Amino acid sequence: MPNKNNDIVFHDRMLSLGLARVSEAAAMASAKLIGRGDEKAADQAAVNAMRDQLNLLDIKGVVVIGEGERDEAPMLYIGEEVGSGNGPEVDIALDPLEGTTLTAKDMPNALTVIAMAPRGTLLHAPDVYMEKLAVGPGYPEDVVSLEMSPAERVKALAKARGCDQSDITVCVLERPRHEDMISELRSTGAAIRLITDGDVAGVIHCAEAHITGIDMYMGSGGAPEGVLAASALKCMGGQMWGQLLFRNDDEKGRAAKAGIEDLDRIYTRDDMVTQDVIFAATGVTDGSILQGLKREPDFLEAETLLMRSKTGSVRRMRYRNPVSRPATGR
């Protein structure tokens, strides 16, 4: 329905189920490649299915977080237009397979992830690293910060929770660059949940601490994944901060191309996602957030998390899709 400016309104309620279908299609397309050791094939299957399903939606979509620059990715590249061309103008942030290595090795927490928001409201994060910090809902504003040391963050969060530092659990990507941070965290008595990949899931863990046992996420990872994680937290509640990290002039050039002028800026969750957003994630392999794909003789079953920031609604949905069985001879 047009508004006063004759623009088509972003009806997140109407679009949310369509977004879930996009996420489900990508997950199911990767099902046959779980544990097969071929990361590229698994990712490509998810990309193809996600793009096909996106193009069925009545939107004028632009991919702002995708598979890479136009000359790096054949489809779902940054700037690609998706959707039918009829409907609201929207930003799309996606990771068709968050955890390609996890999928190829049949390890936990591989997901398909996608977020949608009105045009111009998602941070166009370049493909560089981002220093990230996140906590779940229920804490005072800015209870922790990127300016604090890892030990100071644990101390501040424990004080806000009214618990001992040893009761705090921090999720960290297991990378050599995090060794000093991990050592400092251990010195506080806090527990550390190390993950091999999938830091979108790592951040989401904070929003459901009562289920996952994770109180805080910290460390550096991909900036595009940071925007996806911020989208999820905007729906579920929680705080997040991110600061872009640059290793060379080429990466600074990517930021300039994305329209980023202040290279030292610390972004809050609401800086990365400035208006209402819808978010969907489907489990590919079993994890602490979502169950992975389940194969049965006649169907494939998927679990999807579908969320809207406007209402704070969080849905968990199970989708059972019949699969054809091979013909048998007489």
Side-chain angles (χ1 to χ4, degrees):
M1 179 181 296
N3 62 18
K4 293 180 181 179
N5 297 319
N6 293 320
D7 296 324
I8 299 176
V9 176
F10 176 66
H11 284 301
D12 61 321
R13 183 173 180 271
M14 301 299 291
L15 289 168
S16 59
L17 187 56
L19 203 69
R21 290 192 177 105
V22 173
S23 180
E24 289 165 350
M28 289 192 162
S30 65
K32 293 182 179 180
L33 292 154
I34 296 172
R36 301 306 195 271
D38 193 335
E39 297 179 18
K40 290 184 178 180
D43 187 55
Q44 192 61 58
V47 167
N48 292 345
M50 181 169 278
R51 184 172 184 263
D52 289 346
Q53 197 67 35
L54 266 174
N55 284 331
L56 297 177
L57 296 183
D58 282 332
I59 56 171
K60 294 180 181 178
V62 173
V63 176
V64 299
I65 300 291
E67 288 291 279
E69 301 292 339
R70 183 169 188 168
D71 57 351
E72 298 172 354
M75 58 182 64
L76 295 183
Y77 55 81
I78 297 168
E80 182 176 1
E81 297 181 358
V82 294
S84 69
N86 301 312
E89 296 186 353
V90 297
D91 284 349
I92 303 286
L94 52 84
D95 192 340
L97 193 55
E98 155 80 348
T100 54
T101 300
L102 300 177
T103 303
K105 296 182 177 181
D106 196 5
M107 296 172 66
N109 283 320
L111 306 169
T112 59
V113 184
I114 187 166
M116 181 190 298
R119 180 70 54 83
T121 63
L122 296 181
L123 176 66
H124 294 205
D127 189 12
V128 299
Y129 280 129
M130 175 185 279
E131 187 68 25
K132 305 171 192 176
L133 176 63
V135 296
Y139 292 108
E141 187 175 355
D142 296 324
V143 62
V144 293
S145 72
L146 283 177
E147 289 89 348
M148 292 178 176
S149 69
E152 288 171 337
R153 296 169 192 165
V154 171
K155 182 178 180 180
L157 197 65
K159 181 178 179 181
R161 258 192 63 184
C163 66
D164 293 335
Q165 293 181 181
S166 60
D167 294 324
I168 297 295
T169 300
V170 183
C171 184
V172 180
L173 267 177
E174 189 173 17
R175 297 288 187 271
R177 63 180 181 271
H178 290 151
E179 287 178 358
D180 290 344
M181 181 179 70
I182 290 170
S183 178
E184 183 176 343
L185 287 171
R186 292 202 191 283
S187 73
T188 69
I192 299 175
R193 177 86 58 85
L194 292 173
I195 57 175
T196 58
D197 292 279
D199 64 346
V200 173
V203 172
I204 294 174
H205 283 152
C206 299
E208 295 190 320
H210 60 291
I211 297 174
T212 65
I214 301 297
D215 300 293
M216 182 162 46
Y217 178 93
M218 69 176 76
S220 61
E225 289 82 358
V227 177
L228 281 162
S231 299
L233 280 194
K234 194 174 181 79
C235 297
M236 304 177 81
Q239 301 177 61
M240 182 174 175
W241 303 264
Q243 185 173 31
L244 299 177
L245 303 175
F246 304 99
R247 295 172 294 184
N248 50 50
D249 289 340
D250 176 66
E251 292 190 348
K252 291 179 180 178
R254 292 185 186 184
K257 185 177 179 182
I260 293 172
E261 298 177 355
D262 184 355
L263 301 184
D264 298 318
R265 179 177 177 179
I266 293 177
Y267 296 89
T268 66
R269 182 200 71 184
D270 292 341
D271 292 329
M272 290 186 267
V273 187
T274 62
Q275 290 188 29
D276 286 323
V277 64
I278 49 179
F279 177 95
T282 301
V284 176
T285 58
D286 281 337
S288 50
I289 299 171
L290 288 162
Q291 291 185 11
L293 298 167
K294 302 299 181 188
R295 295 173 178 272
E296 297 293 341
D298 298 313
F299 61 85
L300 188 63
E301 189 172 87
E303 183 180 33
T304 296
L305 191 65
L306 178 62
M307 306 185 288
R308 298 166 58 208
S309 67
K310 186 175 184 178
T311 60
S313 63
V314 178
R315 286 183 172 86
R316 289 181 179 272
M317 307 185 301
R318 299 204 66 81
Y319 171 55
R320 179 178 291 185
N321 186 43
V323 294
S324 58
R325 302 181 66 177
T328 55
R330 293 187 176 179

